[in-house]
Amino acid sequence: MTTMTNLTKTTSTTSPDDSNAPLIPLPPTAARATALAGSAIALAGTFLAWTWSEEFPGNLTVTGYPGGLQTLTLTVALLTLLFTLSGYGIKGLRWLTPGGTNSPVRLLALATLGTTGFTMGAISVVLGGLVNLEPGAWISGTGALIATIGAFALPHDAHGEQPPTGLWERIRHTLKAPAPGTPQKLPGWAEILVITGVFAAGLALFAYGIDIEYPELFIGFLIAVGFAFAALGKAGLLRRLSQLAGTHRKVAMIAALVAAICFPFTQTNDQYALIGAQVLIFATVALGLNVVVGLAGLLDLGYVAFLGVGAYTAALVSGTASSAFDVKFPFWAAALAGAAASLIFGVIIGAPTLRLRGDYLAIVTLGFGEIFRITVLNLNGVTGPDITNGSNGVTNVPDLNILGFDLGIQHDFLGFSLTRSSNYFLLMLLFTVIVVLVFRRSAESRIGRAWVAIREDETAATAMGINAFRLKLLAFALGAALAGFAGSVQAHLGYSVTPEQYQFAGSVAPNSAFLLAAVILGGMGTIAGPLIGAALLYLIPAKLAFMQDYQLVLFGLALILLMRFRPEGLIADRRKKLEFHEHEQQTTPDAPPPGSTTGVAKAGA
């Protein structure tokens, strides 16, 4: 009897149901102390020299003053330290982890290890061997490794659900979104301060990233920001920020607009302000595509052609000597002409093709994009009428002059110098605000609900009385007009318009493939999603030009990883969250399940 009792005790102790055990067998207290000590050691190592030679970019030879990649390690190590301390229940730090305490520590420890390890490897490659590493690098690397070991020894945040089993499931559990919790209520003034501080921090982060001059620092920046963003999401802070922004929507929109307006004043290099203006063009066109793909569910693979129609129209009526028409419209008329021309082409192309669905519609729109590019290539006076100058395009497009304000020259404002690129950035920001307002009003209207109903189930929407063809044509025309609107600015910003700018895929952005990826990457049907996705897809290749030969390979790999770990996109709407995360359906009883006809009924009302 005693033997059977001992056997029962042994079996219950080693039961496979105890799947919440950590990967590394350490007591939780010791694991947290290990992670705390490791992050402190990694942080301390950043104040020592990491290499002896100034040939490595960033000057990592100074003791007592972190620089370059050291600052990134210092930042993520400090975040690891703070999030680890929040697990002790220290008053004032618990607000950091409303969605869980241990998974964010693991991700931040990986950020510290990845940033430090990459820096050590880059120093060895650039300078020629590990011998070029000074003690500071070894101290930070050892501390990052210790912090990672301690972080993975912590138990997983189960949130009342079945704990993960196996290494792969545990890693997936660390990366996926946390279960919603009850956040601590803040006073109204404090919530407004939080929103303002977050947008100010976002401006500083974007300005820092776009101002990076050498690729080693930018790669380290991507590693640190990627893991830190995932950690903040896992901690529940991003969900909390989304709730605050929804509660104070007007404050959030004003804060975002003010932060964007301040961006040109943070730049001293005109090249980076130019990248910012081009990012806004890419983002605005992606938001226009979001009307077609994200709201109406129409797969358009030739959308960049509408951008080209608007750009060519604005360029041809700009008064340039290379134009076939001897006219010069004021800018407001040129912008409206570009939007109107794209809208007309959208109706002409959509009317005979939008009765198709799915893959067939995608093939037809892809064909239209190629027809547009070949047509403007052949309108060269040899194989067709001399309208677009063929492969030479419309060149020498003059700078804009709006109410006596010449965007092509530098202007001084409150002690700051606004360059040509900064002027166009502010103009494109105004266009972006207009497109955002149009998208938001459309999405929240009866027509927007009808688009969503068609996207979810066109047959059911038609059965509820929705004229699917008419509404799909409206979405197609609106998306085309928004693209043409942005194209009118692109023509003047780039001085010229050529056919190779408007391809389905290639190394030049924006193109149809990258625009579609920006919508999917950011989150279909949302406003912030395509803006963030477009910014990432334009900024990363622009800063990593030396990897241009591997751009499409890395792009494909990134999409595979994204679809594996976050198929709803970086910023997902409520319906997508319910569709891809079934466990949240039980915690959100007021939300209709995916495929529900509730939205169809409302749209048909």
Side-chain angles (χ1 to χ4, degrees), residues 91-111:
K91 187 176 181 180
L93 290 180
R94 284 293 298 170
W95 62 271
L96 285 173
T97 53
T101 58
N102 297 335
S103 294
V105 174
R106 275 190 287 275
L107 290 167
L108 288 170
L110 286 175

Side-chain angles (χ1 to χ4, degrees), residues 285-286 288-289 292 300-307 365 479-480 482-483 512 515:
V285 179
L289 179 61
V292 181
D300 187 352
L301 298 182
Y303 185 76
V304 74
F306 298 122
L307 175 67
T365 55
L482 296 180
S512 292
L515 287 170

Side-chain angles (χ1 to χ4, degrees), residues 113-471:
L113 182 63
T115 306
T116 308
F118 167 76
T119 305
M120 296 174 67
I123 292 174
S124 302
V125 172
V126 173
L127 300 182
L130 295 174
V131 70
N132 296 282
L133 295 172
E134 290 289 286
W138 293 108
I139 292 173
S140 290
T142 303
L145 182 60
I146 294 174
T148 304
I149 292 174
F152 277 89
L154 293 170
H156 283 264
D157 302 317
H159 297 297
E161 61 188 27
Q162 184 178 0
T165 59
L167 175 61
W168 178 246
E169 290 299 323
R170 291 171 185 267
I171 294 176
R172 287 191 61 200
H173 183 272
T174 299
L175 292 174
K176 71 179 183 180
T182 303
Q184 181 181 359
K185 182 66 177 176
L186 296 175
W189 61 268
E191 293 179 344
I192 293 176
L193 285 179
V194 169
I195 293 174
T196 304
V198 166
F199 279 104
L203 170 63
L205 188 67
F206 183 76
Y208 177 83
I210 206 172
D211 199 36
I212 292 175
E213 297 182 354
Y214 53 96
E216 293 86 355
L217 179 58
F218 189 76
I219 294 176
F221 174 77
L222 291 179
I223 295 173
V225 170
F227 277 106
F229 181 83
L232 295 178
K234 190 63 179 178
L237 291 178
L238 296 182
R239 176 186 286 113
R240 178 59 173 147
L241 175 61
S242 177
Q243 293 172 349
L244 293 179
T247 303
H248 306 278
R249 178 175 292 183
K250 291 184 179 179
V251 174
M253 294 182 66
I254 293 174
L257 180 59
V258 171
I261 292 175
C262 291
F263 168 75
F265 299 97
T266 65
Q267 300 300 304
T268 57
N269 191 329
D270 189 56
Q271 178 185 357
Y272 301 140
L274 176 61
I275 293 177
Q278 291 169 336
V279 165
L280 278 184
I281 292 176
F282 194 6
T284 302
V285 179
L287 195 59
L289 179 61
N290 198 25
V291 174
V292 181
V293 177
L295 293 182
L298 305 174
L299 186 55
D300 187 352
L301 298 182
Y303 185 76
V304 74
F306 298 122
L307 175 67
V309 171
Y312 266 99
T313 302
L316 290 173
V317 299
S318 65
T320 176
S322 61
S323 172
F325 307 104
D326 188 17
V327 294
K328 184 175 183 179
F329 287 7
F331 175 66
W332 64 268
L336 291 179
S342 296
L343 186 148
I344 293 172
F345 271 85
V347 173
I348 293 175
I349 299 302
T353 60
L354 287 179
R355 300 187 187 279
L356 302 173
R357 298 187 188 181
D359 299 338
Y360 300 100
L361 177 62
I363 293 172
V364 171
T365 55
L366 175 61
F368 163 66
E370 289 301 301
I371 289 173
F372 166 77
R373 184 179 62 83
I374 295 173
T375 299
V376 295
L377 190 63
N378 288 330
L379 295 179
N380 54 8
V382 178
T383 57
D386 188 9
I387 298 178
T388 63
N389 296 326
S391 59
N392 295 325
V394 183
T395 58
N396 298 321
V397 179
D399 281 310
L400 294 172
N401 191 304
I402 303 176
L403 300 177
F405 187 87
D406 191 349
L407 274 67
I409 62 176
Q410 179 174 307
H411 298 273
D412 294 328
F413 180 76
L414 298 178
F416 294 92
S417 295
L418 291 177
T419 62
R420 176 182 183 273
S421 299
S422 299
N423 296 332
Y424 277 98
F425 176 89
L426 294 176
L427 175 64
M428 197 59 223
L429 180 62
L430 175 62
F431 275 49
T432 304
V433 171
I434 294 174
V435 172
V436 167
L437 291 177
V438 171
F439 179 88
R440 181 185 169 192
R441 298 289 293 179
S442 300
E444 295 178 354
S445 67
R446 178 179 61 86
I447 294 176
R449 294 195 299 271
W451 283 337
V452 173
I454 294 172
R455 182 191 69 191
E456 296 300 317
D457 193 330
E458 184 175 342
T459 302
T462 304
M464 297 301 297
I466 294 176
N467 189 331
F469 173 75
R470 181 173 62 86
L471 288 173

